[in-house]
Amino acid sequence: MQQYKVIFSLVNGKKQTAYFTENPISRVNDWIERNDCVWVRLEDMRLNLQHVVTIQVGKLAEANERPEEEEVVEWL
């Protein structure tokens, strides 16, 4: 199953990561275009987009025996 990794770089220098099983590009575009709501709900957190500097989306390599070794095969 294909997995995608989304990295949010925050204004305080920290990064938050979320994982998706389907391409999240349209979802990320929807978040960026929102005018009335700046909060997005992710796996186990809510993130205020006003605190986000950049959003990176990467396609991960197919799952292998060692899931702790993530390999981004393409940045979208």
Side-chain angles (χ1 to χ4, degrees), residues 20 27 31 34 39-47:
F20 296 88
R27 186 179 300 193
W31 294 337
R34 285 184 184 178
W39 289 93
V40 295
R41 186 175 305 191
L42 300 171
E43 298 161 341
D44 58 347
M45 66 179 158
R46 288 180 46 170
L47 185 65

Side-chain angles (χ1 to χ4, degrees), residues 3-52:
Q3 282 218 334
Y4 297 85
K5 178 178 185 176
V6 179
I7 302 171
F8 299 90
S9 299
L10 307 178
V11 293
N12 64 3
K14 294 183 180 180
K15 294 187 179 199
Q16 292 287 339
T17 304
Y19 296 90
F20 296 88
T21 55
E22 54 188 56
N23 191 329
I25 291 293
S26 62
R27 186 179 300 193
V28 170
N29 287 334
D30 289 345
W31 294 337
I32 292 170
E33 294 173 359
R34 285 184 184 178
N35 292 324
D36 58 343
C37 181
V38 293
W39 289 93
V40 295
R41 186 175 305 191
L42 300 171
E43 298 161 341
D44 58 347
M45 66 179 158
R46 288 180 46 170
L47 185 65
N48 188 327
L49 291 179
Q50 291 180 334
H51 299 137
V52 175

Side-chain angles (χ1 to χ4, degrees), residues 2-7 17 19 56-62 64 69-76:
Q2 187 66 57
Q3 282 218 334
Y4 297 85
K5 178 178 185 176
V6 179
I7 302 171
T17 304
Y19 296 90
Q56 296 175 292
V57 179
K59 183 191 295 186
L60 296 177
E62 293 292 328
N64 57 22
E69 294 180 9
E70 295 176 345
E71 179 187 352
V72 175
V73 294
E74 179 182 1
W75 290 102
L76 307 174

